[in-house]
Amino acid sequence: MSKTLLNIENLHAEIEDKQILKGLNLKVNAGEIHAIMGPNGAGKSTLASVLSGRDGYEMTEGKVDFDGTDLMELDPDERAKEGLFLAFQYPVEIPGVSNINFLRTALNEIREYRKEEPVSAKEFMTMVRERSQIVELDSKLASRSVNVGFSGGEKKRNEIFQMAMLEPKLAILDETDSGLDIDALRIVAAGVNKLKNENNAVVLITHYQRLLDYIKPDFVHVLADGKIIKTGGPELALELEEKGYDWLTK
Amino acid sequence: MNVQTDTKLQSFLSGFEGVRENAIQNEAWDALQYLDFPTTRDEYWKYTRISKIANAKLSSGKASNTILDLEKHLLSDQFVIIENGIFRADLSSFDLSKVNVKVESTDTLVQTTANMDELFQAMNTALAEQTLFISIPKKQVWETPVQVIYITTENQIMSNTRLVFESEDFAEGHVITTFINEGNSQSLSNHYTEVLVAENAHLKLDKIQVGNGWHVATENVWQDGNSTFKINTMTLKGDIVRNNLNIEVAGENCETFLNGAVITKENQLVDNHSFVNHLVSNCMSDENYKYVLDGKSTGVFNGRVVVQPDAQKINAYQQNGNVLLSDFAKINSKPELEIYADDVKCSHGSTTGQLDEDALFYLQARGISKDKARKILVSAFVGEVLQSLDNEKVLAYVNQVLFDEFGWTEM
C-alpha cells in the first residue's frame, strides 16, 4: 500500500468566529488525485486556506498529519518546505519582485530546510527553461515581476510553473480552473498530469466538473456545510454535473 | 532695568567664533544674532523637533592626522575626503587633468545663494572654514564621478561643510556625496551645497546619508535653459536628518529629477523638504520619494512645487509612497502644489500603508520565511527609487548598507 501523505481527522475551523469546517475527514495517499467539489460556501477554499496556514483561519478541533508531521504546528513557509503547495485561486501581483528571483529564493530556502545544497545559477536557469515549457509559459514572463501584467490564464499557468519548480509532495489546486478558457484549461491540466507521479498527490478543489475531463481523479468528494458528505469515483462528478448538489444536501 | 535674554542659539554658538574678514560671512554672523532655533510652531519645522540639537554643547571640529580606512566607502577613483569639516589633502585623490576640484578658505567668499534668514544656511555661511569647488568647464564631459566623503570622527562637534558644484554650458558631470559618522551620535553635520546647472548642462548629484547623529543638508540649485539636473537622496542612517532641497528652474526646456529613499528604524527622524520653483515655461520636474519606517521612527515629506504665473506648459509630477512596518512608526506627508499658470500638467500622490498581507502570505506559501518575505517586499517597494541610482557602484554600495543595517537582499 502506498504511503499516506495527508490525513485530516475531524477538522473544525473558523474564520472570525464563524464555524466553516465542521468535522472534515480526508485521507490522501501518494499517487492519488482527489477532487473536492461542492456548492458555493461549503468551505472548499477555507480548507485550502487552513491547510496552507493563512492568517485568520483557525483550527478549533481535529488533527492534520502531513507525511508524519503535525501540519497545524507549522508556519506557512514551513508547510511549503515540508512539501505542501497551494495553487492560489487568486494569484497575488507583487510589483518589483521578479518571478525568477522570487522562485530562486523560495527554492533555496526549501533546499536549505532540507539540508540540501543551494541550486546553482546554471542549474536553476535550465530548470526554468524546461519547466516553463510544461505549461507553455513564455520565458519572458518568468523574468517579469510576479504576476504583474499577467492575464488570468498566465497567472494560473504561473502557479503550475511554480509547482513544477518546487516539486511538492502534495499540491492543492484551489479553483485553478476558474476563469480559464478551454485552451488555458487544457494547458494547465496537461501540466498537472505531467507533474503527477506515484510519490506525490494532488487535491483539486473545484466547483465545476469540467476540469475533471482533463485531470482524472481517483476520488471525488462532495463537501457541503463543512463536511465531506459523499465520496465516490470519477462517475460521481458526472452525476453532480447532471443533478447539481441539492439531492445530496437535502 | 535691562534684562538680557540669551536665545538658545546664542548659547549654542558660544563655542564658535564668527568674526571673519569678508562681508558675506559678517552678514551671516550678524543674521545669527537675530535668529534662533526653529520650534514646531514654525510651519517649516512643524513635524521636526530639533531641541536635542539646540540644547547640545558642541564645538568646531578639527581634522586629525590619522589614516582613515575609507576603502569600503570609495565609489570613484576621484575622491575628496573632508574630516570634521576640514579638507584632508593627504587622503584625497583626484587628477586635476580629469576633474577640476579645489578647496578654498571661505574667507575669500564673494557670492552665495544662501538664504541668511534660514538658520542652518546662515550658520554654515558664517562658520564654514572651507568651500569645496567642483567646477566643470564648458563642453567638458566627466566620465568619472567625483566623490566627496564627509566624515565625522570626533564627538560633540558641529562641522559646517560647503560645496559648490558648478558647470559651464554643455558640461556634464556626476558628484557623489557620502556622509559618514565614526564619532558618537552627539554631533551635527551642517552641510550646504550650491549647484549651478548652466545652459545645456547635465548634472547629477547622489547624496548618500549613512552617518549616525544629526545631519542638516541644504541644496540651493539653479537651472539655466535646456539643462538637466538629477538628485538622488538616500537616507539610510541618522538620528535626526533634515534635507532642504531648493531648486529654481530658471530656463526653459529643463528637466529636473528628484528621487529619495528613506529607510529608518528605532527612533530616527528623517525630514525631506523639497521646493521646486518653476519660473519659466516648457519644463518638466519629476519627484519620487519613498519611505520605509520601522520602530518608533518618524518620517516627514514636504514637497512644494510652485508654477509661477506665465510658466506655461509645465509638467510637474510628485509621488510620495510610505510603508510603515511597525505600529509606532509615523509619517507626515504634505504635498504642496501652488500653480499660478493655467496651461500646466501637475500631479501628486501620497500613499501610506502597511505591507501587503496577501503578497506576504503568497511568498510564505512558497517557502519563504515571514522575515525574509517582509524584506523582499520592502526592498521591492523602494526598488523603484533605488533604480534611479544609475551608477552601479553607488547602487551596490546602497544595497550593501541596506544588507548590513536592515538585512535586506536585493530582488
Side-chain angles (χ1 to χ4, degrees):
Chain A
M1 207 187 102
S2 56
K3 184 161 81 161
T4 299
L5 285 179
L6 181 71
N7 192 12
I8 304 175
E9 287 172 58
N10 191 33
L11 177 62
H12 287 67
E14 59 180 35
I15 172 166
E16 288 166 0
D17 294 329
K18 192 171 183 284
Q19 194 77 30
I20 308 284
L21 298 180
K22 303 170 182 171
L24 185 142
N25 295 293
L26 179 69
K27 195 170 173 179
V28 179
N29 295 323
E32 293 175 352
I33 297 179
H34 290 244
I36 296 178
M37 304 184 70
N40 287 325
K44 300 192 300 290
S45 283
T46 298
L47 176 63
S49 294
V50 172
L51 293 178
S52 56
R54 191 189 278 272
D55 262 355
Y57 292 80
E58 208 185 330
M59 180 176 82
T60 51
E61 209 184 318
K63 193 170 178 291
V64 181
D65 182 275
F66 180 60
D67 198 17
T69 49
D70 184 353
L71 191 69
M72 304 316 268
E73 288 295 307
L74 303 176
D75 288 337
D77 60 297
E78 294 168 330
R79 298 179 193 199
K81 284 163 180 154
E82 288 289 340
L84 182 74
F85 181 89
L86 171 68
F88 281 61
Q89 182 177 4
Y90 305 108
V92 183
E93 295 186 9
I94 313 180
V97 176
S98 101
N99 219 8
I100 289 275
N101 288 345
F102 144 65
L103 261 179
R104 190 162 175 205
T105 305
L107 194 62
N108 281 337
E109 283 220 8
I110 291 171
R111 288 202 173 194
E112 194 186 327
Y113 183 83
R114 294 178 188 164
K115 299 190 167 55
E116 294 166 8
E117 287 294 303
V119 61
S120 75
K122 193 170 169 234
E123 190 189 346
F124 179 75
M125 288 321 291
T126 310
M127 279 174 77
V128 168
R129 212 176 311 113
E130 287 171 4
R131 297 183 192 187
S132 56
Q133 280 168 14
I134 294 177
V135 283
E136 298 174 33
L137 191 71
D138 191 329
S139 56
K140 280 200 274 307
L141 289 180
S143 54
R144 290 238 297 267
S145 285
V146 179
N147 292 322
V148 176
F150 287 33
S151 70
E154 284 166 346
K155 282 180 184 168
K156 296 296 174 79
R157 272 147 63 186
N158 193 27
E159 293 294 288
I160 306 304
F161 165 59
Q162 292 176 28
M163 175 181 158
M165 292 294 289
L166 302 179
E167 301 172 326
K169 289 183 219 164
L170 176 75
I172 302 168
L173 276 51
D174 187 10
E175 307 265 0
T176 296
D177 52 327
S178 66
L180 292 186
D181 62 35
I182 197 72
D183 290 333
L185 183 72
R186 276 200 194 109
I187 292 169
V188 164
V192 173
N193 288 328
K194 231 173 265 177
L195 297 172
K196 180 70 199 48
N197 61 44
E198 70 274 16
N199 299 315
N200 61 20
V202 175
V203 173
L204 305 165
I205 292 175
T206 180
H207 188 70
Y208 305 103
Q209 184 270 338
R210 188 178 65 148
L211 176 66
L212 308 182
D213 289 340
Y214 300 96
I215 305 176
K216 217 75 229 113
D218 300 295
F219 300 96
V220 174
H221 309 277
V222 179
L223 176 59
D225 195 27
K227 283 182 193 169
I228 285 174
I229 55 166
K230 192 171 178 64
T231 294
E235 71 289 346
L236 177 58
L238 293 166
E239 203 177 347
L240 291 169
E241 179 83 348
E242 210 174 293
K243 298 199 213 164
Y245 295 103
D246 286 352
W247 62 283
L248 283 169
T249 53
K250 265 181 200 145
Chain B
M1 202 171 72
N2 201 357
V3 181
Q4 179 80 32
T5 49
D6 267 5
T7 61
K8 277 217 158 122
L9 180 60
Q10 280 163 358
S11 107
F12 179 85
L13 288 173
S14 60
F16 300 90
E17 272 180 53
V19 185
R20 298 289 166 153
E21 296 297 318
N22 78 73
I24 294 172
Q25 286 202 295
N26 278 328
E27 184 199 336
W29 182 253
D30 288 346
L32 291 175
Q33 311 313 309
Y34 301 99
L35 290 167
D36 201 356
F37 278 100
T39 68
T40 51
R41 285 185 299 276
D42 296 276
E43 188 61 29
Y44 197 51
W45 291 86
K46 193 172 173 182
Y47 301 103
T48 300
R49 196 178 290 276
I50 53 167
S51 49
K52 275 187 191 153
I53 300 174
N55 293 327
K57 292 275 165 275
L58 306 180
S59 57
S60 54
K62 292 279 166 278
S64 68
N65 47 21
T66 54
I67 299 294
L68 302 169
D69 181 16
L70 296 170
E71 190 64 38
K72 67 171 181 178
H73 300 289
L74 288 181
L75 304 172
S76 173
D77 55 4
Q78 307 294 317
F79 58 90
V80 178
I81 311 292
I82 312 273
E83 184 192 14
N84 304 329
I86 308 297
F87 173 53
R88 284 288 300 268
D90 56 329
L91 297 182
S92 302
S93 169
F94 47 87
D95 179 349
L96 287 171
S97 71
K98 284 186 183 155
V99 295
N100 181 24
V101 173
K102 65 174 193 272
V103 176
E104 287 191 358
S105 163
T106 309
D107 288 354
T108 61
L109 193 65
V110 288
Q111 57 174 12
T112 183
T113 58
N115 174 5
M116 301 310 176
D117 294 329
E118 200 278 316
L119 170 66
F120 289 94
Q121 295 182 51
M123 204 151 61
N124 184 290
T125 306
L127 299 175
E129 288 189 34
Q130 297 170 330
T131 303
L132 170 65
F133 289 87
I134 300 175
S135 316
I136 314 179
K138 192 167 179 172
K139 291 189 188 168
Q140 272 199 19
V141 176
W142 291 357
E143 303 293 342
T144 324
V146 178
Q147 185 183 17
V148 189
I149 296 184
Y150 295 94
I151 180 164
T152 302
T153 57
E154 287 184 294
N155 300 332
Q156 271 89 358
I157 62 161
M158 168 166 68
S159 51
N160 287 284
T161 51
R162 212 171 163 88
L163 167 66
V164 175
F165 178 21
E166 58 191 353
S167 59
E168 292 177 1
D169 295 356
F170 297 96
E172 280 187 51
H174 175 198
V175 168
I176 305 162
T177 53
T178 314
F179 297 87
I180 306 165
N181 182 1
E182 290 184 351
N184 68 12
S185 53
Q186 308 283 308
S187 279
L188 170 64
S189 144
N190 180 28
H191 179 69
Y192 173 76
T193 303
E194 274 172 26
V195 183
L196 171 63
V197 196
E199 289 258 356
N200 290 295
H202 294 261
L203 301 190
K204 184 167 79 165
L205 178 59
D206 286 334
K207 215 169 114 183
I208 318 294
Q209 299 169 322
V210 288
N212 292 322
W214 307 317
H215 179 57
V216 177
T218 306
E219 284 86 29
N220 289 339
V221 182
W222 179 274
Q223 272 188 272
D224 281 333
N226 303 302
S227 69
T228 303
F229 177 65
K230 182 172 182 179
I231 180 164
N232 299 310
T233 305
M234 304 287 142
T235 310
L236 313 178
K237 274 194 194 181
D239 296 83
I240 299 174
V241 177
R242 166 68 179 244
N243 290 305
N244 300 315
L245 171 55
N246 306 305
I247 302 176
E248 303 277 316
V249 188
E252 293 199 19
N253 300 312
C254 284
E255 293 190 344
T256 311
F257 301 92
L258 308 78
N259 298 298
V262 174
I263 324 293
T264 61
K265 56 188 180 183
E266 293 160 4
N267 290 301
Q268 285 180 267
L269 166 60
V270 178
D271 177 347
N272 280 295
H273 266 64
S274 62
F275 173 35
V276 179
N277 195 6
H278 282 290
L279 300 167
V280 296
S281 301
N282 298 309
C283 292
M284 189 279 274
S285 63
D286 190 352
E287 178 168 17
N288 190 5
Y289 274 71
K290 290 200 168 184
Y291 288 61
V292 177
L293 305 161
D294 203 350
K296 293 180 180 168
S297 63
T298 303
V300 181
F301 172 79
N302 192 118
R304 185 165 172 232
V305 177
V306 177
V307 180
Q308 299 293 352
D310 304 327
Q312 304 293 359
K313 310 276 183 201
I314 296 293
N315 289 328
Y317 309 104
Q318 184 188 85
Q319 188 62 43
N320 167 228
N322 310 294
V323 166
L324 303 176
L325 294 179
S326 101
D327 292 342
F328 306 102
K330 226 173 27 185
I331 176 79
N332 300 291
S333 176
K334 189 176 169 195
E336 286 182 82
L337 267 65
E338 296 169 36
I339 298 161
Y340 302 106
D342 52 19
D343 184 13
V344 300
K345 254 193 245 171
C346 294
S347 70
H348 70 91
S350 173
T351 57
T352 297
Q354 272 97 30
L355 288 181
D356 180 351
E357 288 293 327
D358 288 332
L360 204 53
F361 178 67
Y362 191 78
L363 296 178
Q364 285 178 271
R366 296 294 175 258
I368 299 172
S369 67
K370 189 168 193 172
D371 188 45
K372 184 101 178 238
R374 281 165 64 103
K375 284 168 186 158
I376 288 172
L377 292 180
V378 281
S379 73
F381 173 75
V382 288
E384 188 193 347
V385 170
L386 297 190
Q387 289 314 311
S388 57
L389 292 170
D390 30 33
N391 180 293
E392 276 178 26
K393 280 189 179 168
V394 179
L395 179 61
Y397 177 77
V398 167
N399 277 322
Q400 186 62 44
V401 175
L402 290 174
F403 180 76
D404 295 343
E405 289 292 312
F406 301 92
W408 290 15
T409 37
E410 190 192 347
M411 284 306 271

